[in-house]
Amino acid sequence: MGKNGLLFMIVSIATIMATMGIMAQTADHGNFRELQRSFDRPEEVTITCLGCHNLADDQIMKTSHWLWYRETDKLPGHKGEMMKVGKINIINNFCVAIRSNEPRCTSCHIGYGWKDEDFDFTDQTKIDCLVCHEQTGTYKKFPTGAGYPPDKRKFFKDGKKWFERPDYRKIAQSVGKPSRKNCGSCHFYGGGGNAVKHGALDKSLLNPEKTTDIHMGKDGGEMVCVDCHVAPKHDIKGQLYSVSVENRDRLHCTRCHTMKPHTQKLYVEEFETEQEMGYDLFKSKLHNRDNPEDTFIRRILDKHYDKISCQTCHINLYSTQYKTKTWWDWSKAGEKNEKGKPFVIKDEDGDNIYDSKKGEFKLGKNLEPEYRWFDGKVGHLLVGDKIDPDNTPIQINTIEGACGAPDSKIWPFKIMRGKQPYDPVNKTMIIPKLFGKKGSGAYWADWSWEKAADTGMKAAGLDYSGKYEWIETEMFWPLTHLIQPKENALKCDDCHSRNGRLEGLEACWIPGRDRSLLLDILGMLMLFGSIAGVIIHGFIRFSRSRKEEE
């Protein structure tokens, strides 16, 4: 083979490897000449990245991580109508909605500069490659910077923390496969702080023991987020139930485990391609395990999979290391101290339970999940949707499913509860402007709910009557992380008992929990009848033996 032929073969193999994602995991970007220079702006780094990764921009700009919505015609109440549904237009009972609050909310967007409704989603230079790929641990977006890191050393007053200007040259040279820290920089801190929102996603997953999470534990599977949340063409798999609608593109335990995990080999034998196996440990440490022992009890456990999600038994508790918010009452916000200044009250552990800017909180740790029937389909309260104030608490999102319904299983949930403003005349939830400068109408600056409601509703393009009241709300957050090893999974009597975890669940019939007076009476009659029969039979045998002896 000539030199030209050999060179062509090497280039071809390298191209294939890059396409498969192998080269991206092994290339040392510190050796790339394009990155051996200073960068004044983060956009310059993006342009340099796209010089080689010339398909990435088109891929990323089609994803929900970029758009903050997915299109669907399956939204309950709007079925058949193609709609955009996502963070851009969903109500929540934390900071309510992003409209008019973009610079604060979009600090976790994978882009730069989304400060209002005029953000250009087609501008490829606004893609933030570093937030997902940098490995120095020094790259930080400023909490109120609309996705930008600080352009100079800057103090964040609310967090009482300094943020440094990034060394873009050093950071760009460090890029690699996304780590837990990359994903967690946003997903662990949703809602304003560590563990606030999800209840099962927090910084305890950065380096956990297997008793915290069997998959990510350093003495367990040692997995990282992207081992499950694979990202072909930058489209990260695994839709979040709290913001998506359809039961599609989900991640399920059966991607790796069989549907009979207690009696069959714990991990499936084959994938369509080598890449689908996910991570090296799968092939070596986990994939080659022996079949588990086949016993009657294990078969019973396998049968549970028909009606019970894996998470239900294997998430014993949530928020096991850090407290999560379970209640947020905005109606209590606005109180001032004797000096007329806003204040914060902390509990014995130093966690905020009152903040003049945000109201009153309830926090919890080592919490038992609440359980519901769930088939994977979710409805959402969108900005501008009408509500029924007489039917409280208002369901911020609704989960579909029922006992006996197709695809329905018992799932564990964190249910976030709170109190937030609504318009009693128009019967819509109010979108308050919370973040902004003094005089902008922002509640955190002007301390007026009237101004905050008026400004926020105008920004959202909604009518506002000029009146506001407070209403209780609920939001469902399915739990799917913090998976416990089998030793810590739920035991039979946790559910199969009168006062067990499933006490309040609407179910067809749960042995040990449910009862029927008629069946109880018949059962007792059968029991006592059997005992009486044994006694009578024994007495007859004894009498006959005595007669035979005589």
Side-chain angles (χ1 to χ4, degrees), residues 153-361:
R153 191 167 191 260
K154 198 171 183 179
F155 186 69
F156 180 49
K157 185 172 63 174
D158 284 357
K160 296 180 174 59
K161 181 179 179 181
W162 284 97
F163 283 75
E164 305 293 336
R165 183 186 186 279
D167 181 347
Y168 290 113
R169 176 177 175 172
K170 179 180 178 181
I171 290 169
Q173 292 177 14
S174 77
V175 296
K177 178 181 177 180
S179 66
R180 299 171 189 171
K181 187 174 290 186
N182 291 122
C183 302
S185 65
C186 280
H187 291 286
F188 295 168
Y189 299 93
N194 175 52
V196 166
K197 185 176 286 186
H198 297 272
L201 280 176
D202 56 50
K203 64 182 183 181
S204 68
L205 294 175
L206 289 173
N207 189 32
E209 304 287 340
K210 71 176 182 181
T211 51
T212 297
D213 187 282
I214 186 63
H215 296 114
M216 301 179 79
K218 55 191 175 184
D219 52 347
E222 296 184 82
M223 295 171 65
V224 295
C225 306
V226 293
D227 288 330
C228 276
H229 297 277
V230 295
K233 297 182 179 180
H234 284 92
D235 185 17
I236 300 174
K237 299 302 180 184
Q239 294 189 17
L240 184 64
Y241 292 99
S242 57
V243 293
S244 58
V245 175
E246 300 178 53
N247 189 20
R248 68 175 186 185
D249 202 23
R250 308 286 197 201
L251 289 180
H252 299 281
C253 303
T254 49
R255 179 179 179 270
C256 293
H257 298 265
T258 73
M259 289 190 289
K260 295 182 178 180
H262 304 92
T263 57
Q264 294 180 354
K265 194 170 183 178
L266 290 181
Y267 297 88
V268 294
E269 292 282 354
E270 300 293 340
F271 282 91
E272 291 183 6
T273 66
E274 186 81 1
Q275 284 68 43
E276 288 185 3
M277 297 183 75
Y279 61 108
D280 292 337
L281 286 170
F282 186 100
K283 289 172 277 187
S284 58
K285 184 176 179 181
L286 303 177
H287 183 59
N288 296 319
R289 284 187 174 182
D290 295 330
N291 285 329
E293 184 181 0
D294 188 349
T295 65
F296 174 75
I297 294 298
R298 287 178 175 270
R299 291 185 182 185
I300 293 296
L301 292 175
D302 279 345
K303 189 64 178 174
H304 279 59
Y305 177 77
D306 295 341
K307 294 300 178 185
I308 300 174
S309 74
C310 304
Q311 294 90 329
T312 296
C313 292
H314 286 276
I315 299 179
N316 190 338
L317 302 169
Y318 68 93
S319 291
T320 55
Q321 304 296 318
Y322 299 98
K323 294 179 185 176
T324 188
K325 276 193 175 70
T326 58
W327 169 263
W328 187 329
D329 186 350
W330 280 99
S331 71
K332 299 291 182 64
E335 295 183 16
K336 304 290 181 64
N337 61 20
E338 61 277 4
K339 296 181 180 179
K341 300 290 185 180
F343 64 95
V344 171
I345 299 175
K346 297 180 180 293
D347 64 13
E348 64 277 6
D349 298 316
D351 296 301
N352 291 359
I353 55 175
Y354 180 82
D355 186 334
S356 294
K357 295 172 72 172
K358 299 180 179 181
E360 184 179 80
F361 314 124

Side-chain angles (χ1 to χ4, degrees), residues 100-157:
S100 78
N101 300 301
E102 287 89 349
R104 184 67 177 94
C105 298
T106 60
S107 61
C108 265
H109 183 240
I110 58 165
Y112 303 120
W114 185 359
K115 62 180 181 179
D116 54 35
E117 68 276 8
D118 295 326
F119 179 69
D120 185 0
F121 287 91
T122 66
D123 186 349
Q124 62 183 13
T125 69
K126 298 301 181 183
I127 296 172
D128 184 353
C129 306
L130 299 178
V131 71
C132 292
H133 292 284
E134 76 91 16
Q135 300 302 310
T136 67
T138 64
Y139 180 78
K140 309 287 185 184
K141 289 171 173 274
F142 195 71
T144 59
Y148 277 109
D151 56 3
K152 59 182 179 181
R153 191 167 191 260
K154 198 171 183 179
F155 186 69
F156 180 49
K157 185 172 63 174

